Amino acid sequence: MKLRIGITMFWEANSIERTTVYGPWRYTLNQCYLRLLNGMGAVPVGLLPGGDCTSSERLTGVHGLLMTGGGDPAPELYGRTDQGSHDPETSRPLWEMELYREARLAGIPILAICLGMQLVAIAEGAALIQHIPASVEGAIDHQSGMHLVSLSPGSRLRGILGVEAMVHSSHHQAIESVPAGFAWTACSPDGVIEAIESTDTLVTAVQWHPERDSTGPALAGGFARAARERR
């Protein structure tokens, strides 16, 4: 039986004119995420809100959870006021963090990307740096292209990717600290935390976009091995 990987969607707000007919949200997904799953030989299972079902029911039959990128989470979700967030959202983060918590209870392996990493951290009690250029001294450009990350000695991620990797970056926020039960596994030259992994080995979270760069196949391979063990 092929792996079945649940994957979250991008939530795009409809205009007021369209909401009456179409509802408040459109749910979309960039194809590069599917290429990542295709490389694993996995069947993608789109996870959507709505309907009379629980997060547990949505995850039934799923061997892994892929949490995708998106917009800024509302700072009140981690106990802060707005200090540079762009069009912060509450609906998707609240729904997705509930899904994350249920996956953790069920022992489902998780690969979290960009916003996904931030939601993992918030769900585990950490806060975000809301605008890296304003808060990190000597910040590199995290918003438009490739940059280097260094991998932590002894981490699973270093075992997969090596000492350093060039990654595709598209974010202006980052996690402020490593939550309890996790360890940092990658950072950029300016000290921004670029990846964390859970001490129980079930969660790998990266701030960059492996579906867009050469780290994708190796990360997908590690994710697939964890999902097969769970299956």
Side-chain angles (χ1 to χ4, degrees):
M1 184 176 77
K2 286 190 174 183
L3 292 175
R4 293 171 58 83
I5 303 297
I7 183 168
T8 61
M9 301 286 175
F10 181 76
W11 296 31
E12 181 179 358
N14 276 322
S15 65
I16 295 174
E17 294 78 13
R18 291 174 61 88
T19 294
T20 303
V21 176
Y22 296 105
W25 300 103
R26 295 176 62 199
Y27 305 105
T28 62
L29 185 69
N30 286 325
Q31 191 175 2
C32 50
Y33 289 110
L34 299 182
R35 288 200 300 267
L36 196 67
L37 295 183
N38 289 342
M40 294 168 52
V43 176
V45 179
L47 299 173
L48 296 165
D52 185 20
C53 65
T54 64
S55 293
S56 176
E57 290 169 330
R58 283 190 175 89
L59 292 170
T60 299
V62 165
H63 305 115
L65 173 62
L66 176 58
M67 298 172 66
T68 60
D72 293 356
E76 57 263 31
L77 296 175
Y78 47 93
R80 301 290 174 84
T81 57
D82 192 339
Q83 298 171 6
S85 294
H86 298 166
D87 300 319
E89 307 170 356
T90 57
S91 296
R92 177 183 174 184
L94 286 171
W95 184 83
E96 208 156 306
M97 285 192 290
E98 179 185 345
L99 198 67
Y100 164 77
R101 292 185 181 104
E102 187 58 44
R104 291 294 278 147
L105 288 173
I108 295 173
I110 297 165
L111 175 60
I113 294 172
C114 198
L115 170 65
M117 173 173 165
Q118 295 168 8
L119 294 183
V120 166
I122 295 170
E124 297 290 351
L128 301 185
I129 299 170
Q130 293 186 49
H131 190 55
I132 292 170
S135 302
V136 177
E137 185 176 355
I140 65 170
D141 182 6
H142 289 266
Q143 299 182 68
S144 56
M146 306 290 289
H147 68 74
L148 188 71
V149 295
S150 299
L151 289 304
S152 172
S155 65
R156 297 191 307 278
L157 206 54
R158 181 160 173 161
I160 293 171
L161 298 178
V163 176
E164 294 180 329
M166 288 296 294
V167 299
H168 191 285
S169 188
S170 181
H171 64 98
H172 78 110
Q173 299 193 323
I175 69 171
E176 190 175 78
S177 61
V178 178
F182 285 75
W184 79 270
T185 55
C187 68
S188 51
D190 54 10
V192 168
I193 300 168
E194 289 281 342
I196 56 175
E197 57 190 37
S198 61
T199 54
D200 69 359
T201 75
L202 289 177
V203 183
T204 298
V206 298
Q207 187 60 72
W208 68 84
H209 282 273
E211 78 282 7
R212 304 177 192 170
D213 65 34
S214 62
T215 67
L219 277 172
F223 184 38
R225 286 191 293 275
R228 289 191 189 97
E229 289 173 6
R230 195 265 176 184
R231 182 180 63 180

